[in-house]
């Protein structure tokens, strides 16, 4: 199956300045992310950035890079510009891999692209994983999602959805998942039909999106469909903080030494 991976990357990070170029086990983080994407079997992998230093890094490692404007509000908007610059066909599948996900499983990139390809009624696809730790059900930093019977998203929320009235009434925040998939955690990996991205970028933020601070709700509020792939395991977390960086450095340095 043919799909393109686009990795949006920028230097401006309040918690970890210069994040894409930070070294992890001998390679800049953005290059490690690019290599994960290459291992997915994508027909094309490119980095989209507004920063010359990132572009020079990718060039030095023999990768493909495209320069974009610096005023994008989100990585999705940056992807939309790339789609238009490259004049991608409307039905081409584009996977958005964040530039701070050096441990994202390559097979998951291929799987989310395939999920979209198999659902012609959907404009995008994303990933959910069963919640195992009951504390995550009530953690607003863990985004939950619910699906319809066809496997498409109904809603995403920071609240504990679905609300199990009987179980929550008796167990409260000690509620523990008893059925696999009873609660799904959203993973921020997306596949899009290329023709949808420029249309999405023209929409203003919507009420539910603003309330929940979840960009994907804009798609649902406009009546579009999102396919949800359920993966059994939660992918390793990305790099947002110095502590995340130290953890991933240790993991990869240990793996390299072995």
């Amino acid at each position: 199956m043919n799909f393109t991976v686009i990795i949006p990357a920028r230097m401006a990070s309040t918690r970890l300045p210069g994040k894409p170029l930070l070294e992890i086990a001998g390679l800049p983080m953005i290059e490690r992310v690019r290599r994960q994407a290459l291992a997915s079997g994508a027909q094309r992998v490119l980095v989209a950035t507004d920063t010359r230093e990132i572009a020079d890094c990718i060039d030095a490692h023999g990768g493909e890079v495209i320069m974009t404007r610096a005023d994008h509000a989100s990585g999705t908007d940056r992807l939309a510009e790339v789609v238009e610059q490259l004049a991608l066909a409307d039905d081409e599948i584009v996977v958005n891999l964040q530039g701070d996900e050096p441990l994202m499983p390559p097979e998951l990139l291929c799987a989310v692209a395939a999920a979209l390809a198999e659902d012609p009624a959907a404009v995008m696809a994303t990933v959910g994983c069963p919640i195992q730790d009951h504390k995550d059900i009530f953690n607003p930093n863990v985004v939950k999602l619910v699906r319809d019977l066809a496997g498409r998203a109904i809603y995403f929320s920071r609240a504990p959805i679905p609300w199990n009235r009987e179980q929550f009434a008796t167990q409260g925040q000690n509620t523990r998942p008893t059925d696999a998939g009873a609660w799904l955690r959203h993973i921020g990996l997306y596949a899009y039909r290329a023709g949808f991205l420029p249309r999405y970028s023209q929409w203003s933020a919507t009420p539910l999106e603003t309330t929940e601070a979840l960009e994907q709700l804009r798609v649902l509020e406009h009546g579009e469909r999102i396919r949800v792939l359920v993966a059994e395991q939660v992918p390793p977390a990305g790099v947002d903080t110095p502590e995340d960086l130290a953890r991933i450095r240790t993991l990869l340095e240990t793996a390299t030494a072995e």
Side-chain angles (χ1 to χ4, degrees):
M1 189 196 67
N2 292 332
F3 64 97
T4 296
V5 177
I6 302 176
I7 306 168
R10 62 191 184 95
M11 294 291 279
S13 171
T14 55
R15 288 186 287 183
L16 205 55
K19 181 164 60 171
L21 299 183
L22 294 176
E23 180 269 336
I24 299 178
L27 287 172
M29 178 162 59
I30 189 63
E31 175 60 15
R32 285 213 165 268
V33 174
R34 190 182 73 87
R35 293 187 184 194
Q36 290 296 96
L38 288 171
S40 72
Q43 67 179 21
R44 189 176 189 182
V45 174
L46 56 91
V47 173
T49 185
D50 57 17
T51 307
R52 190 68 254 170
E53 295 96 318
I54 294 174
D56 289 344
C57 172
I58 298 302
D59 284 339
H61 286 90
E64 183 178 4
V65 65
I66 186 166
M67 299 300 296
T68 62
R69 302 195 318 269
D71 60 348
H72 290 301
S74 70
T76 311
D77 292 324
R78 198 176 303 278
L79 261 66
E81 182 187 349
V82 173
V83 164
E84 292 182 319
Q85 279 197 47
L86 299 180
L88 298 183
D90 285 351
D91 60 352
E92 183 163 343
I93 292 177
V94 173
V95 174
N96 180 357
L97 175 59
Q98 297 301 314
D100 57 6
E101 298 276 1
L103 298 181
M104 181 63 71
E107 59 272 18
L108 198 53
L109 303 181
C110 183
V112 74
L116 180 56
E118 293 164 4
D119 189 345
V123 295
M124 58 185 284
T126 192
V127 181
C129 296
I131 289 179
Q132 304 295 341
D133 187 340
H134 70 282
K135 294 178 182 177
D136 287 342
I137 299 172
F138 297 91
N139 181 351
N141 295 316
V142 174
V143 177
K144 277 69 66 174
L145 68 88
V146 290
R147 302 183 301 156
D148 64 17
L149 296 177
R152 301 187 185 112
I154 297 174
Y155 194 64
F156 299 82
S157 182
R158 299 182 183 280
I161 59 171
W163 182 267
N164 189 317
R165 187 177 66 173
E166 298 299 327
Q167 196 172 1
F168 288 172
T170 57
Q171 299 178 29
Q173 294 197 17
N174 292 318
T175 296
R176 282 170 168 74
T178 55
D179 300 319
W183 287 278
L184 291 175
R185 174 185 188 141
H186 178 233
I187 306 300
L189 178 66
Y190 298 100
Y192 302 90
R193 299 193 191 281
F196 171 68
L197 282 163
R199 183 156 56 96
Y200 171 89
S201 69
Q202 293 174 3
W203 292 339
S204 300
T206 50
L208 291 175
E209 173 192 2
T210 302
T211 298
E212 295 261 17
L214 296 175
E215 185 181 340
Q216 63 271 30
L217 288 175
R218 190 185 313 179
V219 180
L220 297 182
E221 287 186 84
H222 278 275
E224 299 288 359
R225 294 171 177 172
I226 302 174
R227 186 77 182 185
V228 178
L229 168 71
V230 177
E232 292 306 312
Q233 299 295 325
V234 178
V239 179
D240 287 321
T241 65
E243 292 75 20
D244 294 335
L245 180 64
R247 171 179 51 80
I248 288 180
R249 277 175 170 166
T250 299
L251 283 173
L252 288 177
E253 287 166 0
T254 300
T256 302
E258 294 174 351

